[in-house]
Amino acid sequence: MTDDDLRDRMRRADPAASLRPMPEDEARRLVAGAALEVPVAPRFSSRRLPVLVGAAAVIAVVAGVLVASGGGSGQAPGPDVALPTSTEPGLENGSGLPDNSGGRPTTSGQPRPGTSTSQVPPPAPTSSEGRKTTVAVLTEAPVDPEVRCRKPEAAVLQERAQMAFEATVLRIEGNVVTLQVHRAWTGEADLVEVRNTTNSPVLAGFEPEIGRRYLVAASDLQVMGCGYSGLDEPDLRAVYDDAFPKR
Amino acid sequence: MEPRQTGFEAVAQELIEPLRRYLARRTDAATADDVLSETLLVAWRRRDEMPAEPLAWAYAVARNCLANADRTRRRQDRLLVRIWQLARPPEHAPARDDPDPGLARALARLSAADAELMRLWAWEELGPAEIAQVVGMSANAVSIRLHRARRKLKSLLDEQAEGERP
């Protein structure tokens, strides 16, 4: 028996030969859990991720992540009410922009008329050592059902967004939703936390799910709504791709 | 533009499948799940030490995590004095659906360290230098022990074949 014969025989007896590949989303969730130092068992095998929060809380929080514009018809999404905070000393704000907030919410984005803001304490530090960008949603005016946004345009996204990334909702705790960034068209962050202090549970018209992917854009460190942030779907992805072509 | 992946995640995504196979070959499914998660966690914490070719390094992390899990389980077993432990099959007994019980029996007759070298060579398809990184030996020592282990395993399999002849 040669070495090759022996190896072939062992390979035929490989216990992992019938192992099914892990679904891509599941792998991402697992890696995201590691980056937050939250061990999670693979969901598709023998266990499931414990439900962290109720559905209502999920809706409320991600409504804050994906802020719909309160602007008038035909307007591009403007600065709603989402303000950036840099939460931990030594952590980058991840946007590629300097963070001069000193850890406090800034007012770089002026609220629209009819929109009120309230002070929000900086989110509590997490155990993660990764780069983190925190986008804090303070509050917003009730969404006017009559307001209609124009279809997202690549040119607008390119002009306004300093951050554009694909991210999975990893964890929702109270009014803080944590997203793991997988890919970035522009800007840089591993983790994004969004703090929602709004009372409005519905803004973007869809229910978020832990483990699902979203495309999120931010202008002046404010989440862009009006269709510019939403579920990771081909149409929206195409806008992102068009907005940030290969240089 | 194809969006770029962030550093750790891009690497970790590539490591998941090899790590899953590594663990599936060495433990039960539930433990493999736990240890995979733990391995990624440790990899994240030690990501600054991750080499440019991270596979063998990741196997070494998984190996340590698996050893820790086994130690924890043994401690719990001792504390709980579970009756099922008395009926537990020997560590290397071939599974009922083992595709090659003869090979499993032969591997069980190698020392645990040699059997692991054989697995890393045949299943993970690592070379001596990579195996050395996983098990914490020198590449030279691995080459010598691997050579001996292969020879021993072949000899055991030949013995089996002789014994099975009418």
Side-chain angles (χ1 to χ4, degrees):
Chain A
M1 180 185 283
T2 66
D3 285 356
D4 286 344
D5 292 337
L6 181 62
R7 196 181 223 168
D8 286 345
R9 183 166 174 180
M10 284 192 71
R11 283 178 183 164
R12 285 195 295 274
D14 182 355
S18 59
L19 197 64
R20 287 181 297 121
M22 180 179 280
E24 189 182 350
D25 284 357
E26 188 60 26
R28 284 181 171 168
R29 197 180 66 86
L30 204 58
V31 173
L36 275 182
E37 305 208 4
V38 181
V40 288
R43 184 166 46 186
F44 78 110
S45 56
S46 53
R47 298 157 208 204
R48 296 187 66 82
L49 181 71
V51 175
L52 297 179
V53 291
V58 175
I59 294 166
V61 171
V62 176
V65 178
L66 305 160
V67 179
S69 169
S73 177
Q75 291 182 335
D80 270 315
V81 287
L83 302 178
T85 60
S86 179
T87 58
E88 295 175 61
L91 291 177
E92 300 171 23
N93 70 18
S95 66
L97 300 173
D99 178 6
N100 299 319
S101 68
R104 296 183 303 277
T106 69
T107 53
S108 59
Q110 297 301 317
R112 288 175 176 283
T115 299
S116 61
T117 59
S118 62
Q119 193 83 0
V120 169
T126 73
S127 60
S128 170
E129 296 170 352
R131 294 176 310 229
K132 185 167 68 174
T133 294
T134 299
V135 182
V137 178
L138 298 183
T139 186
E140 83 294 323
V143 174
D144 182 349
E146 298 301 317
V147 169
R148 296 182 64 186
C149 297
R150 208 157 61 190
K151 194 175 174 184
E153 294 173 9
V156 174
L157 187 66
Q158 183 186 36
E159 183 188 333
R160 295 185 174 228
Q162 290 90 37
M163 298 176 66
F165 50 82
E166 170 196 326
T168 296
V169 174
L170 177 70
R171 190 169 61 183
I172 301 170
E173 289 179 334
N175 64 344
V176 177
V177 62
T178 303
L179 298 102
Q180 167 72 26
V181 176
H182 305 301
R183 297 188 172 101
W185 282 265
T186 186
E188 192 172 343
D190 287 335
L191 304 171
V192 172
E193 282 185 0
V194 175
R195 176 166 292 226
N196 176 32
T197 60
T198 70
N199 293 318
S200 173
V202 177
L203 283 173
F206 60 87
E207 292 189 17
E209 290 178 31
I210 291 173
R212 289 201 77 173
R213 271 182 294 169
Y214 299 89
L215 303 181
V216 182
S219 174
D220 293 331
L221 294 173
Q222 304 163 54
V223 174
M224 290 174 70
C226 231
Y228 283 86
S229 299
L231 279 169
D232 179 9
E233 289 176 340
D235 286 352
L236 184 55
R237 180 170 280 268
V239 174
Y240 278 54
D241 285 337
D242 288 348
F244 303 101
K246 200 169 188 174
R247 294 190 180 96
Chain B
M1 177 176 77
E2 181 63 22
R4 67 183 180 278
Q5 290 197 314
T6 54
F8 173 78
E9 197 218 358
V11 175
Q13 294 280 357
E14 295 295 314
L15 294 174
I16 280 186
E17 286 303 323
L19 286 172
R20 287 179 70 228
R21 287 194 293 274
Y22 174 92
L23 293 168
R25 289 162 181 149
R26 289 163 177 82
T27 189
D28 61 90
T31 306
D33 283 355
D34 287 343
V35 175
L36 175 61
S37 181
E38 182 66 21
T39 301
L40 292 171
L41 198 63
V42 172
W44 163 257
R45 288 174 181 161
R46 294 173 54 191
R47 61 194 181 281
D48 291 342
E49 304 165 27
M50 191 182 282
E53 295 293 332
L55 187 57
W57 179 87
Y59 284 144
V61 173
R63 176 181 159 88
N64 288 332
C65 290
L66 185 57
N68 286 339
D70 285 344
R71 272 194 293 275
T72 301
R73 187 166 55 186
R74 282 198 296 273
R75 259 199 311 273
Q76 289 169 344
D77 286 348
R78 280 200 299 274
L79 286 170
L80 296 172
V81 197
R82 291 186 170 172
I83 292 169
W84 62 261
Q85 197 177 14
L86 300 174
R88 205 171 174 183
E91 192 76 10
H92 295 289
R96 198 172 297 175
D97 55 352
D98 195 312
D100 191 344
L103 176 64
R105 279 197 304 274
L107 275 172
R109 290 180 62 185
L110 297 181
S111 70
D114 283 354
E116 181 60 7
L117 294 184
M118 292 302 300
R119 294 186 192 101
L120 290 166
W121 169 71
W123 289 343
E124 273 74 37
E125 303 183 25
L126 300 182
E130 294 166 309
I131 294 174
Q133 202 179 341
V134 178
V135 300
M137 295 167 61
S138 72
N140 195 37
V142 167
S143 290
I144 293 166
R145 286 194 67 161
L146 196 55
H147 175 73
R148 289 177 183 161
R150 278 195 295 255
R151 196 170 58 193
K152 175 95 182 281
L153 188 58
K154 285 179 204 170
S155 165
L156 290 167
L157 291 170
D158 288 343
E159 275 178 32
Q160 282 180 6
E162 287 291 327
E164 286 165 7
R165 278 186 194 145

